[in-house]
């Protein structure tokens, strides 16, 4: 639990240097709801702003070479008997074609001004007169400029927010977002500048840091039991912003889209309101060193030098491995997801032209909100059952499976859409799962930095994949069925998705089930510490190692002495050996998870563990005789060997020594010395734990093998 709860609000303000609002943010549900609503409002308009003018690209670039006006120029010279309606041509073009004399058409064509004539009559007055690229390239530049800005911005906001705080960076994003809106508005209404609009998109993307900043703010400030629901709310409102943002433009592009840029005022007003909400209701985030302090009151009063360690404690190398694996996998996952995007945005509309209508595409865009909700439900269920790494791997595996289905030439558009719908859900599962892992595993003092790295790499991957897949599809679409279905593009994205699956795979070893989860009380046999303390030693021996460890930690919190067991005599254990073997796999898995967690600890946490370990050894030394314990252990092992059929240990000591050493391979140098805890470094602790994990894995594999062959259950048979 939070130290703020332990101290009380007033004392927390005094000793931790927190403001009243910060204390409320951690302790008051009403305050948390107000903060969350403000953050969601900020996220909504930030996401809305990044896509609000995205559908305007074809209109703004219609005068580019190869654009719609060039195409209309060719169609305009066709005879009046042409059935333009069956071709899906817009009605204002048909009316202009019918009302213009053939002589006038020919005159404009010969003068090279036919395109201008068409634009004057049916084109968008706000279209850019000078477009430096051909239509397809010009469109892609507009599309990726905002993403490129977002990618670079993620790097900036991550590290900067770790240094100056989350809230100041949010306010900077508000100001930058307003600047982006204004530049885009002026580029369209005053300057008629393609490059000015690109700059506006870049600026808007650069200051689009709401996801990173709000997610890290929640992680920093909200109590742990409220973080997951708050993060899901932020993710959901972002999807809603993206979905509604893409639809919001359409009322403003009726007719010839003269009022196209008026839509920016929606974003400007919403952003201003979001800024006021952040200033009025969102306190500064609580930094980790403002709360993670010693439990006794006197220890709160640390020196300013200790209280403001900007660099934070030394971070485990294992954590960095996990972070880079998740970042690399997520980047490849994002690139592979382009196969799902191109299946909906390009292939669907080319193979089934009826799906290219605005209303149909809008329905697909809005369905992505449903996909997100279903993804979060599946993540919650699967992660609880399988753990984080297996959830990510499951999503990545099913993404590959659905992309393979795109290789078949389905005749029904609804089958294709169904595959896309579920493929997107699976893609969300792996990418959101990886994003949450990065958020939760990152060191508190580097949380923004790692979110920035993940966000930037993902945006860069999306930009590169979008451009590459568009070029590959266009190059290979020769009008054949394989060309229209984008077989080459889909095969390439399947390959990238397989690489993502391979990149994620080390997480299966590094992130076991239960990693980073709270050590809450499970469904134990014992209901309370009081009941545990009343149990006999024989009864306690029947508990799993997890339950025993849990109640020993609870006992230590109230000042109780450790409850330790002697080796005892083999004959006293003979009846409980089957039960011991039955729960051995569960015990080994628990020990493996506990050891893995120590590998992800920072230097301060490792020192705390070492101090606890030393205290335990001291207690044992003061209350037990090592010589007696050695004698008991040796006698127990000898009695077991005799009973298990290995009574030749007296005749072949060398052989049995090797068997013993194979069962317990050295994890420290054989030098007749115990591990020197006083001089043990963080690296040394991790090396010992890694070596122990290797031994534990071999024992787990043996237990599973024995269970499969039914050896474990028949190990000991007695009347």
């Amino acid at each position: 639990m939070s130290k703020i709860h332990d101290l009380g609000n007033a004392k927390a303000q005094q000793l931790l240097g927190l403001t009243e609002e910060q204390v409320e943010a951690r302790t008051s549900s009403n305050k948390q709801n107000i903060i969350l609503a403000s953050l969601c409002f900020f996220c909504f308009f930030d996401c809305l702003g990044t896509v609000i003018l995205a559908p305007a690209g074809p209109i703004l670039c219609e005068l580019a070479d190869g654009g719609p006006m060039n195409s209309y120029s060719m169609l305009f010279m066709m005879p009046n008997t042409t059935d333009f309606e069956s071709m899906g041509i817009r009605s204002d073009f048909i009316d202009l074609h019918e009302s213009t004399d053939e002589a006038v058409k020919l005159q404009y064509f010969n003068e090279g001004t036919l395109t201008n004539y068409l634009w004057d009559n049916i084109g968008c007055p706000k279209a850019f007169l000078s477009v430096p690229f051909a239509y397809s390239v010009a469109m892609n530049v507009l599309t990726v400029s905002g993403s490129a800005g977002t990618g670079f911005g993620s790097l900036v906001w991550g590290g900067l927010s770790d240094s100056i705080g989350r809230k100041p960076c949010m306010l900077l994003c508000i100001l930058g977002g307003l600047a982006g809106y204004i530049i885009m508005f002026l580029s369209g209404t005053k300057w008629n500048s393609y490059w000015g609009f690109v700059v506006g998109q870049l600026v808007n993307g650069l200051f689009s840091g709401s996801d990173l900043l709000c997610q890290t703010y929640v992680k920093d400030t909200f109590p742990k039991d409220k973080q997951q629901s708050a993060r899901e709310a932020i993710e959901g409102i972002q999807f809603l912003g993206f979905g509604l943002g893409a639809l919001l433009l359409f009322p403003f592009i009726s007719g010839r889209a003269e009022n196209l840029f008026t839509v920016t005022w929606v974003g400007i007003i919403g952003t201003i309101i979001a800024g006021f909400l952040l200033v009025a209701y969102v306190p500064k985030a609580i930094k980790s060193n403002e709360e993670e302090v010693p439990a006794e009151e006197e220890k709160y009063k640390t020196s300013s030098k200790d209280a403001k360690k900007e660099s934070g404690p030394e971070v485990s190398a294992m954590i960095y491995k996990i972070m880079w694996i998740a970042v690399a996998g997520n980047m490849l996952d994002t690139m592979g997801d382009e196969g799902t995007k191109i299946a909906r945005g390009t292939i669907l509309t080319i193979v089934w032209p009826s799906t290219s209508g605005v209303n149909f595409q809008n329905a697909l865009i809005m369905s992505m909100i449903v996909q997100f909700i279903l993804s979060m439900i599946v993540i919650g269920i699967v992660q609880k059952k399988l753990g984080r790494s297996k959830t990510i791997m499951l999503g990545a595996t099913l993404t590959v499976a659905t992309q393979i289905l795109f290789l078949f030439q389905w005749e029904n558009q609804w089958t294709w859409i169904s595959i896309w719908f579920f493929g997107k859900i699976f893609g969300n599962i792996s990418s959101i799962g990886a994003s949450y892992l990065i958020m939760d595993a990152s060191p508190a003092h580097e949380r923004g930095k790692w979110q920035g790295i993940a966000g930037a790499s993902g945006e860069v991957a999306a930009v590169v994949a979008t451009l590459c897949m568009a070029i590959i599809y266009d190059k290979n679409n020769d009008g054949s069925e394989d060309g229209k279905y984008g077989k080459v593009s889909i095969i390439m994205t399947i390959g990238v998705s397989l690489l993502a699956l391979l990149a994620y795979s080390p997480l299966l070893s590094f992130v076991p089930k239960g990693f980073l989860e709270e050590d809450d009380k499970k469904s134990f046999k014992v209901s309370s510490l009081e009941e545990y303390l009343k149990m006999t030693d024989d009864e306690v021996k029947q508990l799993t190692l997890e339950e025993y460890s849990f109640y020993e930690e609870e006992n230590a919190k109230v000042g109780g002495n450790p409850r330790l067991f002697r080796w005892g005599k083999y004959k006293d254990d003979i009846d409980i050996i089957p039960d011991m073997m039955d729960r051995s796999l569960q015990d080994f898995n628990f020990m493996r998870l506990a050891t893995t967690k120590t590998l992800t600890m920072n230097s301060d946490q490792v020192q705390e563990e070492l101090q606890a370990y030393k205290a335990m050894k001291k207690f044992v030394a003061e209350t037990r005789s090592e010589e007696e314990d050695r004698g008991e252990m040796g006698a127990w092992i000898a009695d077991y060997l005799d009973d298990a059929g290995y009574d030749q240990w007296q005749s072949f000591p060398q052989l049995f020594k090797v068997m013993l050493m194979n069962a317990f391979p050295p994890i420290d140098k054989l030098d007749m010395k115990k591990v020197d805890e006083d001089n043990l470094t963080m690296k040394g602790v991790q090396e010992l734990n890694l070596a122990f994990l290797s031994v534990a894995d071999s024992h787990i594999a043996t237990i599973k093998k024995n269970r499969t062959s039914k050896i474990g259950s028949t190990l000991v048979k007695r009347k």
Side-chain angles (χ1 to χ4, degrees), residues 51-62 119 123-128 142 181 184-185 187-189 192 197 245-246 248-267:
V51 299
I52 196 170
L53 285 170
I59 299 173
L60 296 175
C61 297
E62 65 183 15
W119 178 66
C124 174
K126 303 300 182 183
F128 298 126
L142 292 184
Y181 279 126
M184 287 188 287
F185 179 78
S187 296
T189 59
N192 191 259
F197 188 80
L248 191 60
L249 179 68
F250 291 99
F252 296 89
I253 57 175
S254 58
R256 295 178 59 190
E258 297 94 338
N259 300 315
L260 169 64
F261 286 95
T262 306
V263 72
T264 56
W265 286 103
V266 176

Side-chain angles (χ1 to χ4, degrees), residues 244-308:
L244 294 181
L247 303 178
L248 191 60
L249 179 68
F250 291 99
F252 296 89
I253 57 175
S254 58
R256 295 178 59 190
E258 297 94 338
N259 300 315
L260 169 64
F261 286 95
T262 306
V263 72
T264 56
W265 286 103
V266 176
I268 290 172
I269 294 171
T271 302
I272 291 173
I273 295 174
F276 280 119
L277 291 175
L278 293 178
V279 171
Y281 299 112
V282 178
K284 286 174 55 182
I286 301 176
K287 292 184 178 180
S288 59
N289 62 354
E290 289 176 327
E291 187 193 351
E292 295 172 8
V293 288
E296 297 86 353
E297 179 175 333
E298 289 301 315
K299 293 183 180 179
Y300 282 102
K301 301 174 182 178
T302 55
S303 67
S304 59
K305 179 180 178 180
D306 293 333
K308 296 182 179 180

Side-chain angles (χ1 to χ4, degrees), residues 72-93:
Y72 282 136
S73 296
M74 301 299 295
L75 292 171
F76 205 68
M77 298 307 297
M78 296 179 71
N80 288 332
T81 56
T82 304
D83 187 2
F84 289 117
E85 289 186 4
S86 63
M87 297 169 62
I89 304 299
R90 45 196 275 195
S91 59
D92 56 351
F93 171 86

Side-chain angles (χ1 to χ4, degrees), residues 416-524:
W416 188 270
I417 292 171
S418 298
I419 296 171
W420 163 78
F421 185 85
F422 288 102
K424 189 66 179 175
I425 291 175
F426 301 142
N428 287 342
I429 290 172
S430 56
S431 59
I432 293 175
S435 177
Y436 281 179
L437 176 61
I438 293 169
M439 169 73 75
D440 294 336
S442 57
H445 62 286
E446 295 182 359
R447 189 169 290 141
K449 167 189 168 183
W450 281 103
Q451 283 296 107
I453 291 173
S457 61
E459 290 294 339
V460 169
V463 169
V464 172
T466 297
L467 293 176
C468 289
M469 289 302 106
I471 293 171
I472 292 170
Y473 182 85
D474 289 341
K475 183 177 180 180
N476 290 278
N477 184 14
D478 54 3
S480 65
E481 289 299 302
D482 284 352
K484 289 190 295 184
Y485 276 88
K487 290 290 181 67
V488 175
S489 299
I490 295 296
I491 289 173
M492 293 193 68
T493 56
I494 290 173
V496 176
S497 294
L498 285 171
L499 290 177
L501 187 62
L502 184 63
Y504 281 137
S505 60
L507 294 177
L508 292 172
S509 176
F510 295 152
V511 185
K513 182 182 178 182
F515 179 76
L516 296 176
E517 307 302 333
E518 289 297 304
D519 294 326
D520 295 330
K521 183 178 177 181
K522 309 293 177 61
S523 299
F524 291 148

